[in-house]
Amino acid sequence: TIDGRASDGAPAVVIARVAGLPALSSAADLQASFGALVCGGAGAPCAVQSYLNVLEGVVVWLSVPRVTAPQTVLIRLRFVGSEEPPRGGEVGKTYAREAKEASASFAYFVPLPRVVALRWCAECVASASSCIVAGRCGGASAPKPLESSAPTRGGGTITAILENAPAIAFSALDGSLENGGGGGPL
């Protein structure tokens, strides 16, 4: 998602298997970026969390930085560490090397709204900004709200708890929607 989280809400991590990279001796041997956002270092928006040297290259775990809008960016991984001298070469000598890097597209998205809970009360708590206060409805006996159900007849108030909800314009006085909600269709 655009806030650097996976669909389930956990911090997002990208796992990249890169063939042909030399073995890493530390995470600092790899420069990673998401578009213009460079990972690593103090205060960086993302980092190489872990790596594993494998026979054909390296497996890398990267934390995903936040962005402000849906977009597709290029993830770049570039080897910046020192390599062993080529076969037959002398230790300590400098050799011209080809840059070793890999890239792939990465898509950020805004998750769809999701209903987490529906609660029904015959009466709302009087003089409160929410129908349900401390897990109780209004009325003489202050009953608990019905969960995911409501009577087929009569009045009452349904409270919907949403995840990833769009901005909805409402009145702070009574909670009613203003101008149709202004948040678009759910």
Side-chain angles (χ1 to χ4, degrees):
T1 65
I2 63 172
D3 67 351
R5 299 198 168 277
S7 295
D8 64 2
V13 174
V14 169
I15 301 171
R17 184 179 195 100
V18 186
L21 279 186
L24 305 180
S25 58
S26 78
D29 286 349
L30 197 62
Q31 181 184 60
S33 62
F34 283 75
L37 300 172
V38 179
C39 303
C46 50
V48 175
Q49 291 188 326
S50 185
Y51 67 89
L52 177 66
N53 293 314
V54 293
L55 185 60
E56 59 280 345
V58 179
V59 179
V60 181
W61 286 260
L62 300 166
S63 60
V64 177
R66 294 173 178 231
V67 295
T68 57
Q71 59 190 286
T72 299
V73 298
L74 209 54
I75 296 177
R76 290 186 188 277
L77 300 171
R78 182 182 176 101
F79 180 77
V80 293
S82 57
E83 292 185 61
E84 298 280 325
R87 184 174 289 153
E90 294 179 37
V91 175
K93 245 184 156 181
T94 304
Y95 296 92
R97 303 282 180 135
E98 186 176 300
K100 292 184 172 62
E101 68 178 43
S103 62
S105 292
F106 181 81
Y108 284 97
F109 65 96
V110 174
L112 294 172
R114 184 174 77 90
V115 176
V116 177
L118 290 173
R119 298 185 177 128
W120 177 85
C121 290
E123 288 182 54
C124 291
V125 174
S127 301
S129 62
S130 175
C131 184
I132 303 166
V133 176
R136 299 289 183 170
C137 299
S141 64
K144 286 187 173 184
L146 293 180
E147 297 281 338
S148 300
S149 66
T152 56
R153 298 189 191 281
T157 300
I158 294 176
T159 300
I161 300 170
L162 303 174
E163 201 173 71
N164 307 314
I168 299 173
F170 67 95
S171 167
L173 296 174
D174 63 6
S176 64
L177 297 180
E178 295 179 353
N179 299 325
L186 291 179

